[in-house]
């Protein structure tokens, strides 16, 4: 965009109207250039010229534009007053323009019904006058109003019509901006993939036109953050920040800095997050925006807690921030801040302060939204445990976890449910600490299970059959989105929290009446059923407490507790083992480094074997193992450990998930499906050999292996073998995918299956990878399949060689078809690997049998 002249133009002698038009044009250009200060100056000068020359009509046009600038500057009452002046003296098209602008201001003031009436009148006038650009603008703004009011069908209808009008008018920039707003509507409905597609398409269109739109970038960044796509969120947020810095838009710049602080917290860059939060706080203080300032201080507090800062200054600041958040009606954030203040005090040994904060917070454990109740029950548990009342503390923790379950079960997308895992992790973690202090193995196992992998046990949310319940759930998810959006907008949630609590109650009552779609109860594993399902096998469940790893073993119904070692040491050894295996498979590194990598692999494998299985070696003997990992152990190729090489090993996200998989009714009549994606060496040979094992299998390869065709074939299959390159997204594993003929098949698509395939074999690299979120919540291809009801997944957690994998898979399927259980078949197939072929051994040991 060409730079604008900053000096005022003098009226042309004898041609005042031309001067007014010129000033108005430059003012509008300043608005497009995001320079609102210059725009206001040009427009006020234009109106003064028009008034002096007695050009009332021109003065009215200028005033409407001035009102837009005032509204964008946050001076809404001033904007409304200016528009009322215009409406008093106008008629026809000018009155319609003023009416539509007034509707926009009323919308921002929260007067939705008045705004809707004004839009209706304005739209009728625009259509009557044949003003198609005006019609498109009104439809766009009214569509956004419908979106904020959670009338999503009406919003989509208005915005789609607006985009069509702009394209017919040959206005690609305006059409792209409306496409962006359609993405905003999709995000509010919880359809993150659709929102991201719309944002990306709009962003590309604007870039082709050479237009920068930092507001659109901010929405895009916010949605990427909600989807936990941190790399992209950081990139888009920084782009928005750079554009706002150049434009000098300090108000929006402060907001984007706070948003980027949230991104950096999610990314784990605490220093950068703290710096951005402080910059945002200072700007909000200078701009006299206290509601925003306290949000920046809250971000700073979370950074200090993550940095284990338990100084007196942090404790005092936490109390102040909690009080200010409560006054601003940020109820959930206030609860969290108060609990952090109490926990900081407990770390300092300041029991009076801790008790005061906990008592205050515990008052909210009965009547409040579920996430607030969970924080309050956590406070009550800390309070009771501090007094030595262990049973009372555990009772409070169970109540808090019930609140988390109710909250999580009503969220409309897996990634949002997983975000609730942090609350469950804190609650169950305290339960584990209490049980460990009592050295009671059965209670440790119960609390570990209570907080573990809850999302894997919740099936993906689909609309229930009951129409009223479906409507209430949709409304509740929209309110969740509105509350979250108001946080990013720096506005108090107002009455939304009361409405949310009432809807949660209504949903619970509806589920009682309809039976189904209920939040999960306590995930306690019945000892008798677990012992019967295990048979001669041994369960080893790893539990973390205060930085130390413990193991709970279950053998022949007997439960025992063992100490293992420091979590950080174990994590380093897992990383070392994975690194050496990766190098052995890929043959990367200097010549002669293979022998070094083999030594490093052997050393790490032996070290981990001694640490993890040494304490329980006498209990496990030569029996089959069921392993429930925690933290970094989820990424461990267990068959690489010496003690696991000659035995079947099954890995599960929790004992409850394993038990469900092991005891689920055997489904008959399912098909066998073999899928091959593009560019996989030896895929044709693998298909040919598998056809001999499964002569009646459905085979999808080449151009037939599209994402839709594969998803359809997988639905309800008995056995699925997929030969395709995998892509694992650590920042958001729900975007992890398998590469097929027409593009990726993501976890989001898998969640739409009606009936999961019973057994799935993924013979691609890293297909078994999962990201571990708070509460040992797992996200990835395998965890998505477990949530759908799959019993067994065989997949790799590392890079594998194509030819070596083909040989392993053929051996595995021959053994499986002979009647062997999957874990036993995999163990036998891995033992057939040539012991002198280190690359083949490394590839084979990367495969893990998940589930039953």
């Amino acid at each position: 965009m060409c730079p604008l002249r900053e000096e005022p133009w003098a009226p042309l002698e004898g041609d005042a109207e031309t001067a007014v038009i010129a000033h108005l044009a430059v003012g509008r250009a300043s608005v497009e250039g995001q320079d609102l200060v210059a725009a206001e100056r040009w427009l006020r000068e234009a109106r003064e010229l028009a008034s002096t020359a007695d050009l009332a009509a021109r003065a009215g046009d200028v005033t409407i534009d001035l009102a837009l600038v005032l509204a964008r500057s946050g001076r809404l009452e001033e904007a409304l007053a200016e528009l009322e002046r215009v409406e008093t003296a106008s008629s026809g098209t000018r009155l319609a323009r003023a009416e539509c602008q007034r509707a926009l201001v009323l919308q921002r003031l929260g007067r939705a019904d008045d705004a809707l009436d004004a839009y209706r009148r304005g739209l009728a006038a625009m259509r009557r006058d044949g003003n198609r650009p005006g019609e498109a603008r009104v439809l766009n703004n009214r569509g956004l109003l419908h979106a904020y009011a959670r009338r999503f069908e009406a919003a989509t209808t208005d915005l789609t019509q607006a985009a069509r009008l702009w394209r017919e008018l040959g206005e690609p920039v305006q059409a792209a901006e409306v496409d962006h707003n359609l993405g905003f509507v999709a995000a509010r409905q919880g359809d993150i993939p659709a929102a991201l597609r719309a944002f990306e398409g709009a962003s590309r269109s604007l870039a082709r036109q050479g237009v920068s739109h930092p507001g659109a970038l901010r929405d895009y960044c916010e949605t990427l953050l909600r989807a936990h796509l941190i790399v992209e969120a950081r990139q888009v947020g920084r782009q928005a920040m750079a554009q706002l810095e150049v434009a000098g838009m300090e108000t929006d710049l402060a907001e984007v800095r706070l948003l980027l602080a949230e991104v950096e917290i999610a990314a784990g860059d605490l220093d950068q997050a703290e710096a951005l939060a402080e910059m945002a706080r200072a700007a909000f203080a200078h701009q006299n925006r206290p509601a925003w300032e306290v949000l920046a201080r809250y971000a700073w507090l979370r950074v200090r807690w993550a940095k284990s800062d338990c100084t007196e200054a942090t404790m005092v600041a936490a109390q102040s921030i909690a009080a200010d958040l409560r006054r601003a009606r940020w109820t959930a954030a206030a609860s969290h801040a108060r609990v952090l203040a109490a926990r900081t005090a407990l770390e300092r040994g300041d029991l009076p302060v801790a008790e005061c904060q906990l008592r205050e917070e515990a008052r909210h454990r009965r009547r409040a939204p579920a996430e607030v109740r969970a924080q309050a029950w956590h406070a009550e548990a800390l309070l009771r445990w501090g007094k030595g009342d262990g049973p009372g503390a555990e009772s409070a923790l169970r109540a808090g976890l019930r609140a988390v379950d109710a909250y999580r079960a009503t969220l409309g997308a897996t990634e949002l449910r997983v975000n609730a895992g942090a609350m469950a992790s804190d609650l169950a973690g305290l339960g584990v600490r209490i049980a460990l202090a009592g050295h009671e193995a059965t209670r440790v196992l119960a609390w570990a299970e209570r907080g573990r992998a809850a999302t894997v046990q919740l099936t993906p949310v689909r609309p229930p059959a009951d129409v009223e319940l479906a409507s209430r759930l949709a409304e509740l998810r929209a309110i969740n989105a509105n509350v979250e959006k108001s946080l990013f907008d720096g506005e108090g949630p107002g009455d939304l929290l009361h409405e949310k609590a009432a809807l949660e109650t209504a949903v619970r009552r509806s589920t009682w009446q309809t039976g189904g779609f209920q939040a999960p109860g306590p995930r306690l594993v019945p000892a008798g059923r677990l012992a019967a399902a295990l048979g001669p096998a041994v369960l080893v469940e790893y539990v973390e407490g205060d930085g130390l790893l413990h193991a709970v073993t279950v053998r022949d119904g007997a439960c025992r507790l063992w100490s293992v070692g420091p979590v950080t040491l174990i994590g380093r050894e897992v990383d070392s083992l994975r690194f050496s295996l990766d190098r052995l498979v890929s043959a990367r590194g200097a010549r002669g480094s293979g022998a070094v990598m083999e030594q490093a692999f052997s050393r790490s494998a032996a070290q981990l074997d001694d640490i993890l299985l040494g304490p329980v070696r006498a209990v496990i003997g030569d029996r089959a193992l069921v392993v429930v990992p925690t933290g970094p152990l989820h990424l461990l190729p267990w068959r690489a450990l010496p003690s696991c090489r000659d035995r079947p090993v099954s890995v599960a996200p929790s004992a409850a998930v394993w038990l469900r998989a092991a005891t689920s009714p055997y489904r008959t009549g399912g098909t066998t499906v073999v899928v091959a994606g593009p560019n996989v060496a030896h895929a044709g040979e693998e298909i040919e050999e598998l056809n001999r094992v499964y002569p009646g299998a459905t085979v999808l390869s080449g151009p037939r292996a599209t994402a839709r065709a594969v998803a359809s074939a997988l639905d309800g299959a008995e056995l699925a073998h997929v030969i395709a390159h995998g892509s694992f997204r650590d920042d958001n594993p729900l975007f992890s995918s398998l590469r097929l003929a027409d593009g990726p098949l993501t976890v989001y698509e898998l969640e739409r299956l009606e009936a999961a395939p019973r057994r799935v074999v993924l013979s691609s690299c890293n297909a078994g990878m999962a990201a571990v979120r708070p509460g040992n919540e797992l996200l990835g291809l395998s965890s998505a399949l477990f949530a759908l009801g799959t019993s067994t997944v065989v997949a790799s957690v590392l890079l594998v060689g194509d030819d070596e994998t083909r040989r392993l898979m053929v051996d595995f399927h021959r053994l499986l078809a002979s009647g062997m259980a999957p874990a036993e078949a995999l163990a036998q197939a891995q033992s057939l690997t040539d012991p002198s072929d280190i690359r083949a051994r490394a590839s084979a040991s990367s495969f893990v049998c998940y589930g039953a």
Side-chain angles (χ1 to χ4, degrees):
M1 183 176 292
C2 295
L4 301 175
R5 294 177 58 185
E6 290 299 327
E7 67 274 8
W9 291 351
L12 301 176
E13 188 173 348
D15 196 0
E17 186 168 11
T18 301
V20 171
I21 293 171
H23 279 69
L24 177 59
V26 178
R28 287 176 174 173
S30 298
V31 172
E32 292 299 321
Q34 309 292 336
D35 190 345
L36 299 183
V37 174
E40 182 179 353
R41 185 174 73 250
W42 285 106
L43 293 172
R44 288 195 183 278
E45 289 174 359
R47 187 168 66 177
E48 184 178 350
L49 288 170
S51 299
T52 302
D54 200 23
L55 300 170
R58 289 296 183 191
D61 289 335
V62 174
T63 300
I64 293 172
D65 282 79
L66 177 61
L68 171 64
V69 171
L70 293 171
R72 289 189 178 181
S73 302
R75 294 144 67 186
L76 299 174
E77 295 293 349
E78 287 184 55
L80 203 57
E82 294 286 0
L83 290 167
E84 287 171 355
R85 288 173 54 185
V86 177
E87 290 175 334
T88 302
S90 300
S91 61
T93 301
R94 189 169 292 106
L95 177 60
R97 278 192 66 215
E99 191 76 58
C100 293
Q101 191 61 51
R102 181 171 175 270
L104 181 60
V105 176
L106 289 168
Q107 178 178 338
R108 294 186 177 182
L109 283 168
R111 294 166 58 180
D113 291 339
D114 293 338
L116 203 57
D117 286 341
Y119 279 135
R120 179 178 49 78
R121 293 190 298 270
L123 185 60
M126 293 294 179
R127 285 172 172 165
R128 189 168 54 248
D129 294 343
N131 186 344
R132 299 183 78 203
E135 179 185 352
R137 290 189 187 94
V138 174
L139 286 168
N140 177 71
N141 294 338
R142 191 176 71 174
L144 289 174
L145 175 60
H146 283 313
Y148 279 109
R150 304 188 296 279
R151 294 187 289 267
F152 297 120
E153 186 175 352
T156 302
T157 298
D158 276 357
L159 291 170
T160 302
Q161 289 181 17
R164 177 181 54 79
L165 279 170
W166 284 125
R167 287 190 172 88
E168 290 174 357
L169 291 165
E171 297 288 355
V173 172
Q174 286 86 344
E177 290 174 346
V178 178
D179 288 340
H180 174 90
N181 291 338
L182 281 165
F184 171 77
V185 173
R188 296 301 285 260
Q189 292 178 278
D191 191 345
I192 300 299
L196 294 177
R197 283 194 297 270
F199 286 152
E200 182 61 27
S203 178
R204 285 196 301 267
S205 297
L206 290 169
R208 281 196 298 269
Q209 302 302 318
V211 175
S212 62
H213 197 318
L217 289 174
R218 174 196 158 151
D219 288 344
Y220 192 8
C221 175
E222 179 186 324
T223 304
L224 288 165
L225 175 59
R226 286 183 61 202
H228 211 80
L229 292 167
I230 303 305
V231 174
E232 289 90 343
R234 179 187 279 158
Q235 179 182 356
V236 172
R238 287 177 177 174
Q239 187 180 352
M241 187 168 67
Q243 291 183 9
L244 291 167
E245 286 172 343
V246 171
M249 299 175 67
E250 295 296 328
T251 300
D252 293 335
L253 178 59
E255 296 171 13
V256 169
R257 279 176 175 157
L258 177 56
L259 179 58
L260 268 174
E262 297 288 344
V263 172
E264 298 297 352
I265 289 173
D269 191 340
L270 299 179
D271 291 337
Q272 185 68 11
E274 187 171 12
L276 286 164
E278 176 53 29
M279 291 171 69
R281 185 209 61 76
F284 293 138
H286 179 72
Q287 296 164 11
N288 192 26
R289 301 167 70 189
W292 280 96
E293 184 183 357
V294 71
L295 291 177
R297 290 165 58 210
Y298 175 53
W300 171 88
L301 173 63
R302 283 154 44 221
V303 170
R304 298 315 304 169
W305 175 257
K307 288 185 171 184
S308 302
D309 177 1
C310 295
T311 61
E312 183 178 4
T314 300
M315 180 183 70
V316 171
Q319 296 174 66
S320 172
I321 291 167
D324 289 345
L325 285 167
R326 182 75 64 182
R327 278 191 290 271
R329 300 180 70 184
W330 288 114
T331 314
S335 295
H336 186 220
R338 197 179 296 282
V339 170
L340 290 183
R343 293 175 73 178
T344 304
L346 286 173
E347 291 292 332
R348 293 178 49 78
D350 195 336
L351 296 181
V353 169
E355 185 170 337
C356 176
Q357 295 298 309
L358 293 172
R359 282 190 182 283
E360 176 64 26
E361 188 52 42
R363 295 190 301 112
H364 303 285
R365 64 187 185 274
R366 298 292 183 188
R367 294 181 177 273
E371 63 266 40
V372 178
R373 295 200 312 276
Q375 293 283 0
W377 279 113
H378 188 188
E380 179 69 15
L382 286 167
L383 191 61
R384 293 177 183 178
W385 193 35
K387 293 181 175 181
D389 182 5
E394 292 186 79
S395 176
L397 291 172
R398 285 191 289 271
L401 283 164
R402 285 194 295 272
V404 173
D405 283 341
Y407 174 57
R408 184 161 23 199
T410 58
L411 294 176
T414 298
E415 79 276 2
L416 300 181
R417 289 172 168 184
V418 169
N419 290 340
M423 288 187 285
S425 177
D426 281 348
L427 290 159
L430 180 56
V432 167
R433 288 176 64 192
I434 294 171
L436 284 172
H439 303 286
E440 296 184 40
T442 53
R443 284 174 57 218
V444 172
L445 179 63
W447 276 112
E449 284 293 302
R450 193 62 184 83
R452 193 184 278 272
T455 296
V456 175
Q457 300 183 65
L458 288 170
T459 57
V461 176
R462 300 187 181 95
D466 182 80
V467 176
E468 184 178 359
L469 176 57
S471 175
R472 284 172 173 167
L473 285 167
E475 182 84 354
L476 184 56
R477 290 172 202 138
I479 286 179
N480 278 327
N482 281 353
V483 170
E484 189 170 331
K485 176 67 176 172
S486 65
L487 174 65
F488 285 114
D489 287 345
E491 304 166 356
D495 294 329
L496 281 175
L497 292 178
H498 297 295
E499 190 177 352
K500 181 179 176 182
L503 265 173
E504 285 176 350
T505 300
V507 166
R508 285 196 297 273
R509 288 175 177 168
S510 293
T511 59
W512 297 339
Q513 294 166 8
T514 60
F517 203 81
Q518 297 186 28
R523 288 171 293 279
L524 302 181
V525 182
R529 285 188 61 208
L530 181 60
L534 283 170
V538 178
L539 175 93
V540 182
E541 179 156 339
Y542 291 95
V543 180
E544 183 182 349
D546 293 327
L548 296 176
L549 194 66
H550 305 267
V552 178
T553 58
V554 180
R555 169 176 165 162
D556 299 331
C559 192
R560 297 179 65 183
L561 179 64
W562 310 82
S563 294
V564 177
V567 174
T568 53
L569 171 63
I570 295 165
R572 286 195 297 270
E573 289 297 338
V574 171
D575 289 341
S576 175
L577 178 67
R578 288 176 54 82
F579 178 82
S580 55
L581 275 176
D582 177 75
R583 289 300 187 272
L584 288 170
V585 171
S586 63
R588 291 198 296 266
R591 183 177 299 179
S593 64
V596 176
M597 285 297 106
E598 187 172 359
Q599 289 176 1
F601 160 65
S602 299
R603 187 202 63 80
S604 292
Q607 183 84 349
L608 283 167
D609 194 76
D610 287 341
I611 295 172
L612 297 173
L613 299 175
V616 299
R617 196 164 280 132
V619 174
I620 62 177
D622 59 356
R623 300 190 179 199
L625 276 182
V626 176
V627 178
V628 179
T630 188
L633 299 184
H634 285 290
L635 303 179
L636 178 64
W638 287 87
R639 288 283 301 173
L641 304 189
S643 295
C644 296
R645 286 176 192 159
D646 298 321
R647 74 175 83 231
V649 179
S650 300
V651 178
S654 74
V657 168
W658 180 85
L659 182 62
R660 185 184 70 183
T663 58
S664 60
Y666 187 86
R667 187 175 64 229
T668 59
T671 58
T672 296
V673 179
V674 179
V675 174
N679 304 319
V680 181
H682 310 291
E685 297 171 40
E686 192 168 335
I687 289 174
E688 186 178 331
E689 295 193 61
L690 290 177
N691 264 333
R692 287 196 283 269
V693 180
Y694 307 111
T698 299
V699 178
L700 295 172
S701 62
R704 296 180 60 228
T706 64
R708 177 175 293 184
V710 170
S712 177
L714 292 178
D715 215 339
E718 165 62 24
L719 173 64
H721 181 92
V722 182
I723 314 161
H725 290 299
S727 172
F728 178 71
R729 288 295 303 263
D730 181 70
D731 51 356
N732 188 343
L734 296 182
F735 282 86
S736 297
S737 61
L738 296 168
R739 193 189 312 162
L740 298 175
D742 60 342
L745 175 66
T746 69
V747 172
Y748 275 110
E749 274 81 31
L750 289 176
E751 287 195 333
R752 295 174 184 171
L753 299 181
E754 290 297 323
R758 180 167 175 260
R759 291 172 171 175
V760 177
V761 182
L762 302 171
S763 66
S764 56
C765 300
N766 296 321
M769 288 280 286
V772 186
R773 296 288 185 253
N776 269 301
E777 294 284 11
L778 301 181
L779 286 178
L781 290 167
S782 57
S783 60
L785 289 165
F786 280 131
L788 286 162
T790 294
S791 296
T792 308
V793 177
V794 174
S796 72
V797 292
L798 279 163
L799 184 72
V800 293
D802 289 336
D803 191 39
E804 293 80 6
T805 297
R806 178 185 63 81
R807 293 196 296 267
L808 174 73
M809 289 293 103
V810 171
D811 288 339
F812 165 74
H813 279 290
R814 284 174 180 156
L815 294 165
L816 187 68
S818 72
M820 276 191 187
E824 186 178 1
L826 181 62
Q828 289 274 3
Q830 288 168 323
S831 68
L832 294 175
T833 304
D834 182 355
S836 65
D837 188 341
I838 184 60
R839 190 169 189 264
R841 282 173 45 212
S843 285
S845 63
S846 297
F847 279 88
V848 176
C849 179
Y850 295 98

